[in-house]
């Protein structure tokens, strides 16, 4: 079996992005562009993947980790020079090498596989992945002879008028015979408008030696989109989002308005779940079946069970178990665990707390750093006072407890099963089984107090 290698070019700064962040690290639907490319390349199980890094090298390595080997291009002297930096890792090997840019997040594993197969079938030393563009501005042009054979690739800045009119463009993806690639790279010069070493010049060098150079034209031009500007980044995001949403709908998810629903790649959603417009699902979010998520909700790294209703609320790094509900306008901060059949109503906040099954937290309350049992009622305006200015403290509330409205639970404190807290109380000590805690001043009514106040004279 012929060995396969992949080189990902990720060294450029991307000056047109006007960003401190390396261009290839800009995200598209929750994943950096270079991660998209690497993920698709990995699906072909190549013998080795090498990523060429330069600008923002440490950040790129931190993002990709050990999924790839690395070669450093300290000075960005063109794509040809970038590939040459991988020679120490790949130069002595036999096989096929695919070269792809890290700023092309829409390319798919299927296209990569077709490119390899076409290259092998044609017995070529080099195969260019091409596409037909309605507007080829900015792309290198594929120049063919009268028989349709590829003669050369001309960069936009070096193209004459006739060449600039060509609509078949170079996507920046190539498949090479590995030995032929590195031999030709040593012959590439930089006599061009940019003063750089172009990888495209390898095509002309191989042609001059009488080697077979082929071009595989893919059907979907949108896959070839290279991101060099914020506008192109937005365009790539729209296309990627359409793909993601279409897949979810094909799997039985109802999206009321797909164009206004933002779902990161990798999010999982069960069948018969309905998602309204204006919902954002990010990170490693997993949603079960038969859920309903209403407009204005935002979930990040959330785990949602089956038959859960989320109404215009925010959930971060938290769990909602089967048949629970939340909202509107409530917030689960990280490490919250909402049990089965739990109700979290409007304008509530939960942080690093567990609410047991059937517990109800109706409105305008805060639970932080606490473990709550089952069948608890939490009244309006209850606050778990968990922070003393230096440290966070934990509270525990037992099953079937009742917390009256406007109570303050000052941690650390333990409220036993079937205990009661009277409305308006500030609880600083434990409450035992079946006890009621009342911690408030006794009401005093001052008789005839109105008469002691100054009044405006009546007209």
């Amino acid at each position: 079996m012929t060995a396969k290698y992949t080189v990902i070019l990720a060294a450029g700064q991307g000056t047109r992005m006007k960003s401190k962040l390396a261009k290839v690290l800009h995200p598209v639907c929750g994943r950096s562009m270079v991660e998209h490319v690497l993920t698709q390349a990995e699906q072909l199980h190549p013998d080795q993947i090498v990523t060429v890094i330069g600008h923002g090298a440490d950040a790129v390595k931190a993002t990709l980790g050990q999924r790839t080997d690395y070669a450093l291009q300290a000075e960005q002297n063109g794509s040809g020079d970038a590939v040459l930096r991988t020679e120490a890792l790949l130069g002595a090997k036999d096989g096929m090498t695919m070269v792809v840019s890290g700023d092309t997040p829409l390319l798919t594993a299927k296209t990569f596989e077709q490119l390899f197969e076409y290259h092998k079938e044609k017995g070529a030393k080099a195969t260019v992945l091409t596409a037909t563009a309605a507007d080829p501005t900015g792309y290198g042009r594929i120049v063919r002879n009268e028989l349709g054979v590829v003669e050369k690739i001309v960069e936009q800045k070096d193209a004459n008028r006739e060449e600039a009119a060509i609509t078949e463009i170079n996507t920046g993806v190539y498949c090479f015979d590995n030995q032929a690639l590195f031999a030709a790279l040593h012959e590439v010069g930089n006599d061009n408008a940019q003063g750089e070493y172009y990888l495209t010049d390898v095509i002309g060098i191989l042609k001059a030696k009488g080697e077979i150079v082929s071009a595989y034209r893919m059907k979907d031009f949108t896959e070839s989109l290279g991101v060099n500007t914020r506008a192109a980044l937005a365009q790539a995001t729209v296309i990627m989002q359409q793909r993601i949403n279409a897949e979810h709908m094909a799997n039985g998810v109802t999206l009321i308005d797909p164009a206004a629903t933002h779902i990161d790649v990798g999010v999982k959603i069960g069948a018969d779940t309905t998602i309204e417009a204006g919902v954002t699902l990010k990170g490693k979010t997993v949603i079960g079946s038969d859920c309903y998520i209403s407009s204005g909700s935002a979930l990040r790294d959330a785990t949602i069970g089956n038959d859960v209703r989320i109404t215009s609320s925010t959930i971060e790094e938290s769990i909602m178990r089967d048949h629970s509900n939340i909202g509107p306008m409530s917030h689960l901060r990280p490490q919250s665990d909402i049990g089965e059949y739990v109700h979290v109503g409007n304008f509530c906040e939960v942080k690093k707390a567990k609410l047991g099954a059937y517990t109800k937290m109706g409105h305008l309350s805060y639970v932080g750093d606490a473990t709550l049992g089952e069948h608890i009622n939490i009244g309006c305006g209850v606050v778990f006072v968990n922070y003393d200015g230096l440290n966070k403290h934990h509270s525990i509330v037992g099953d079937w407890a009742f917390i009256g409205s406007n109570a303050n639970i000052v941690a650390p404190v333990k409220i036993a099963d079937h205990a009661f807290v009277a409305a308006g109380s500030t609880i600083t000590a434990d409450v035992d089984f079946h006890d009621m805690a009342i911690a408030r001043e006794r009401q005093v009514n001052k008789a005839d107090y109105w008469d002691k106040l100054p009044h405006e004279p009546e007209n």
Side-chain angles (χ1 to χ4, degrees):
M1 182 179 291
T2 306
K4 295 179 182 178
Y5 311 102
T6 297
V7 173
I8 301 174
L9 305 182
Q13 180 177 2
T15 55
R16 283 184 283 171
M17 297 291 286
K18 294 181 172 60
S19 175
K20 298 182 292 295
L21 186 66
K23 178 174 69 170
V24 297
L25 293 182
H26 282 266
V28 173
C29 295
R31 183 178 291 171
S32 70
M33 292 192 286
V34 70
E35 283 182 279
H36 281 291
V37 175
L38 177 58
T39 299
Q40 297 303 311
E42 286 173 328
Q43 293 183 36
L44 275 64
H45 305 291
D47 294 87
Q48 189 172 6
I49 300 175
V50 181
T51 301
V52 182
I53 54 177
H55 183 78
D58 290 342
V60 175
K61 290 179 72 173
T63 299
L64 302 183
Q66 298 181 5
R67 296 166 61 188
T68 171
D69 294 321
Y70 298 95
L72 178 64
Q73 186 188 30
E75 296 182 11
Q76 280 70 67
N77 292 322
S79 54
D81 178 71
V83 177
L84 194 56
R85 299 306 105 197
T86 71
E87 188 172 32
L89 294 169
L90 299 176
K93 297 181 178 181
D94 293 320
M96 300 181 292
T97 297
M98 180 176 69
V99 179
V100 57
S101 176
D103 63 3
T104 51
L106 299 175
L107 288 164
T108 64
K110 182 178 181 180
T111 296
F112 290 159
E113 183 177 17
Q114 291 170 340
L115 176 63
F116 271 119
E117 290 176 354
Y118 188 86
H119 175 79
K120 187 175 182 180
E121 176 188 322
K122 295 298 180 181
K125 293 296 183 183
T127 301
V128 186
L129 181 66
T130 74
T132 300
D135 178 7
T137 303
Y139 291 92
R141 308 303 202 275
I142 304 298
V143 180
R144 297 177 183 263
N145 64 19
E146 63 277 4
L147 298 177
V149 176
V150 176
E151 290 292 329
K152 60 180 178 177
I153 302 172
V154 180
E155 296 297 325
Q156 169 84 32
K157 294 180 180 180
D158 299 312
N160 59 35
R161 181 176 298 180
E162 185 178 82
E163 291 166 340
I166 295 172
T167 57
E168 185 180 8
I169 58 94
N170 174 21
T171 65
V173 184
Y174 310 87
C175 192
F176 295 99
D177 173 272
N178 195 63
Q179 292 290 320
L181 169 63
F182 286 101
L185 282 171
H186 285 285
E187 300 180 36
V188 172
N190 64 345
D191 184 17
N192 53 59
Q194 293 290 93
E196 295 183 347
Y197 297 89
Y198 291 155
L199 180 59
T200 51
D201 288 350
V202 169
I203 303 301
I205 291 169
L206 294 175
K207 287 290 295 183
K209 294 181 178 181
E211 303 288 4
I212 298 174
V213 173
S214 63
Y216 175 69
R217 191 182 318 208
M218 63 182 183
K219 295 179 180 179
D220 185 2
F221 168 73
T222 60
E223 277 195 42
S224 69
L225 179 67
V227 175
N228 293 302
T229 65
R230 303 278 184 161
L233 183 67
Q235 184 181 0
T237 299
V238 169
I239 296 169
M240 182 68 76
Q241 193 64 80
Q242 289 172 342
R243 289 184 188 175
I244 293 169
N245 291 359
E247 183 176 359
H248 284 300
M249 289 187 287
N251 290 333
V253 177
T254 295
L255 303 182
I256 301 300
D257 184 356
T261 306
H262 304 282
I263 305 174
D264 277 356
V265 62
V267 170
K268 296 182 171 65
I269 308 173
D272 290 317
T273 285
T274 298
I275 299 173
E276 292 184 351
V279 170
T280 300
L281 307 176
K282 291 183 172 293
K284 299 177 182 178
T285 293
V286 178
I287 300 169
S289 300
D290 302 298
C291 297
Y292 198 100
I293 304 177
S294 84
S295 176
S297 296
L299 282 63
R300 177 176 60 83
D301 298 330
T303 301
I304 308 301
N306 299 317
D307 187 33
V308 172
R309 188 175 186 93
I310 300 169
T311 306
S312 304
S313 294
T314 298
I315 301 173
E316 304 172 273
E317 301 174 33
S318 295
I319 299 171
M320 290 188 68
R321 301 186 185 276
D322 294 354
H323 316 296
S324 58
N325 65 84
I326 187 172
M329 308 306 291
S330 286
H331 187 183
L332 300 184
R333 290 168 58 193
Q335 300 181 58
S336 297
D337 186 338
I338 307 303
E340 292 185 1
Y341 295 98
V342 167
H343 167 65
V344 177
N346 54 297
F347 297 99
C348 294
E349 182 175 312
V350 181
K351 190 274 295 184
K352 198 178 180 181
K354 181 175 182 179
L355 277 62
Y358 295 97
T359 288
K360 292 179 172 57
M361 178 182 176
H363 34 264
L364 298 163
S365 294
Y366 168 72
V367 178
D369 294 278
T371 301
L372 277 62
E374 300 179 357
H375 296 279
I376 295 169
N377 183 84
I378 301 171
C380 177
V382 170
V383 176
F384 278 68
V385 185
N386 56 333
Y387 184 48
D388 64 9
L390 291 175
N391 299 299
K392 300 290 180 69
H393 300 279
H394 197 82
S395 293
I396 299 173
V397 181
D399 297 344
W400 295 96
F402 183 95
I403 311 297
S405 295
N406 204 35
N408 294 312
I409 311 300
V410 182
V413 72
K414 181 175 181 180
I415 300 171
D417 294 353
H418 297 273
F420 298 81
V421 173
S425 296
T426 295
I427 303 301
T428 59
D430 292 351
V431 183
D432 293 334
F433 180 74
H434 278 190
D435 285 359
M436 171 181 277
I438 304 175
R440 61 192 183 207
E441 292 290 335
R442 183 178 298 277
Q443 181 175 325
V444 176
N445 294 344
K446 300 292 186 180
D448 300 320
Y449 185 71
W450 171 261
D451 296 335
K452 297 177 182 180
L453 297 177
H455 301 289
E456 294 290 336
E458 296 182 3
N459 293 329

